[in-house]
């Protein structure tokens, strides 16, 4: 049995669904069901005895310790995090609480559990911490991609809180011997992503005939990773990664935001044409967010060299699957666009007047 935290969120839920599609090993799924956690994503597992969902907070030490004591998981896969840069700018406290305090609580509970295991089980135990490339800071246009030895230079409250959690995980390994693994991934996209992030926001806004807001000049570059590929990388690291090591997970797909949006518009023009004309007519440049990192790029050669992992999807295949999924699942989209979601969108984009 494994314990997955944040398993009702975008990446965590995809991981749980993929895990149980490929394995009969049960999952304890601990999620606080904040705005981005969605039980509906886990509907295919309803009634599945291999999936135990627990509604709870990773900061709740008593709850986390009880789950370890009752279920004795052989591994932890730690996704639970606040993860949206814009939200961290508006409210950094929640990011420090979940990403730093929550990771600390989980590490301490895992250490207590691990220390009590018989020798063989203790040696087999793993704590896999899922992190982000944003901890490395921003790159210039000609800088080499992030390697695992790149110095940390986080620039937002979100990335600073994730950097802190990475450092805690490293310290618990070096100080206490806890058998940890860390992955730092690039920007994920795919099914079930909450529509505050770039790709699903553009899709749902386009389908609703709303403006497609592009920060600044739209030339901020990210490396894009299909979520299914990310899940397969995590499985490989969990199974065969070297203890205490970090593995960068990327899609080998550097693209500027504006190019992503034009790609989405072209796909929607093909798959769901609009009588009013191309969806590209809705593109609107708006005031940039504070401290917007210019470029991220992942060097994923280590995980390929040591574990043989490479992404299976190209951006062209992955983005087509993603757009088709959103077209095929209007009910899921409608259900996550609650009043709270609409209030957030209004708050975040208020004052970001269209730029000439």
């Amino acid at each position: 049995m494994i314990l997955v935290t944040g398993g009702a969120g975008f990446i965590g839920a995809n991981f749980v669904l993929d895990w149980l599609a490929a394995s009969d090993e049960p999952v304890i799924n601990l999620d606080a069901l904040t705005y981005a956690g969605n039980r509906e994503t886990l509907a295919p597992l309803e009634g599945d005895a291999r999936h135990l969902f627990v509604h709870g907070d990773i900061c709740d030490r008593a709850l986390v310790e009880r789950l370890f004591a009752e279920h004795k998981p052989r591994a932890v896969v730690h996704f639970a995090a606040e993860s949206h840069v814009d939200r961290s700018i508006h409210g950094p406290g929640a990011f420090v609480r979940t990403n730093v305090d929550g990771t600390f609580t989980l590490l301490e509970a895992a250490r207590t559990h691990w220390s009590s295991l018989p020798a063989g089980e203790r040696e087999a135990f793993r704590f896999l911490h899922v992190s982000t490339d944003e901890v490395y800071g921003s790159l210039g246009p000609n800088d080499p991609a992030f390697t695992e030895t790149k110095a940390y230079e986080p620039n937002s409250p979100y990335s600073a809180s994730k950097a802190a959690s990475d450092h805690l995980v490293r310290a618990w390994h070096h100080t206490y011997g806890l058998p940890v693994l860390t992955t730092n991934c690039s920007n994920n996209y795919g099914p079930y992503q909450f529509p505050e992030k770039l790709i699903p926001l553009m899709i749902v806004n386009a389908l609703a005939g709303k403006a497609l807001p592009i920060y600044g000049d739209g030339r901020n570059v990210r490396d894009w990773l299909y979520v299914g590929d990310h899940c397969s990388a995590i499985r490989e690291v969990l199974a065969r990664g070297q203890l205490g090591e970090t593995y960068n997970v990327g899609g080998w797909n550097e693209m500027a935001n504006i190019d992503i949006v034009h790609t989405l518009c072209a796909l929607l023009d093909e798959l769901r044409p609009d009588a009013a004309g191309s969806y590209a007519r809705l593109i609107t440049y708006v005031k940039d967010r504070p401290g917007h990192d210019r470029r991220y790029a992942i060097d994923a050669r280590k995980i390929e060299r040591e574990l043989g992992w490479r992404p299976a999807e190209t951006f062209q295949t992955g983005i087509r699957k993603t757009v088709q999924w959103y077209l095929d699942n209007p009910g899921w989209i409608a259900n996550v666009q609650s009043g709270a979601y609409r209030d957030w969108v209004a708050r975040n984009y208020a004052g970001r007047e269209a730029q000439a």
Side-chain angles (χ1 to χ4, degrees), residues 160-183:
S161 67
K162 287 299 288 185
S165 69
D166 291 8
H167 292 320
L168 288 174
V169 170
R170 174 185 171 87
W172 260 241
H173 175 67
H174 284 273
T175 300
Y176 303 112
L178 187 69
V180 306
L181 302 152
T182 298
T183 57

Side-chain angles (χ1 to χ4, degrees), residues 21 37 41 48 72 74 88 114 132 137 143 145 151 156 159 190 211 213-214 233 250 252 254 256 268 292 303 307 355:
T41 302
D48 191 328
K72 303 187 186 315
R74 70 167 182 91
S88 79
W114 167 72
T132 172
D143 290 339
S156 70
S159 58
I214 308 298
W252 300 106
E254 280 191 67
L268 288 169
H292 196 176
I303 190 172
L307 304 182
Q355 305 292 298

Side-chain angles (χ1 to χ4, degrees), residues 23-60:
S23 167
D24 284 330
E25 184 173 13
V27 173
I28 313 156
N29 185 348
L30 175 61
D31 197 291
L33 294 180
T34 60
Y35 73 93
N38 188 355
R39 285 292 299 273
E40 188 177 347
T41 302
L42 300 167
L45 301 177
E46 195 69 35
D48 191 328
R50 300 171 302 162
H51 180 244
L52 173 62
F53 183 82
V54 179
H55 182 194
D57 190 336
I58 58 169
C59 294
D60 184 341

Side-chain angles (χ1 to χ4, degrees), residues 7 15 17 34 47 83 99 107 115 130 141 159 162 166 211 241 281 283 297 301 343:
F15 177 83
L17 290 168
T34 60
S83 66
N99 299 354
L107 284 166
S115 299
V130 180
S159 58
K162 287 299 288 185
D166 291 8
R281 76 186 189 280
I283 292 174
R301 286 179 294 180
D343 291 346

Side-chain angles (χ1 to χ4, degrees), residues 24-177:
D24 284 330
E25 184 173 13
V27 173
I28 313 156
N29 185 348
L30 175 61
D31 197 291
L33 294 180
T34 60
Y35 73 93
N38 188 355
R39 285 292 299 273
E40 188 177 347
T41 302
L42 300 167
L45 301 177
E46 195 69 35
D48 191 328
R50 300 171 302 162
H51 180 244
L52 173 62
F53 183 82
V54 179
H55 182 194
D57 190 336
I58 58 169
C59 294
D60 184 341
R61 178 70 177 268
L63 170 62
V64 174
E65 288 184 340
R66 178 172 61 78
L67 292 177
F68 276 110
E70 289 182 3
H71 300 286
K72 303 187 186 315
R74 70 167 182 91
V76 177
V77 184
H78 177 33
F79 293 100
E82 295 283 349
S83 66
H84 191 215
V85 173
D86 289 331
R87 285 183 184 266
S88 79
I89 293 169
H90 287 286
F95 287 72
V96 173
R97 180 183 181 276
T98 298
N99 299 354
V100 183
D101 293 344
T103 299
F104 164 74
T105 299
L106 194 64
L107 284 166
E108 281 290 85
R111 181 165 70 95
T112 299
H113 166 69
W114 167 72
S115 299
S116 70
L117 292 173
E121 293 178 28
R122 189 163 61 247
E123 291 170 2
F125 184 79
R126 297 291 184 269
F127 184 108
L128 194 157
H129 173 61
V130 180
S131 191
T132 172
D133 60 355
E134 298 194 35
V135 299
Y136 297 123
S138 186
L139 293 170
N142 299 314
D143 290 339
F146 299 134
T147 66
E148 290 81 357
T149 58
K150 168 73 169 65
Y152 276 31
E153 298 180 279
N155 291 320
S156 70
Y158 161 58
S159 58
S161 67
K162 287 299 288 185
S165 69
D166 291 8
H167 292 320
L168 288 174
V169 170
R170 174 185 171 87
W172 260 241
H173 175 67
H174 284 273
T175 300
Y176 303 112

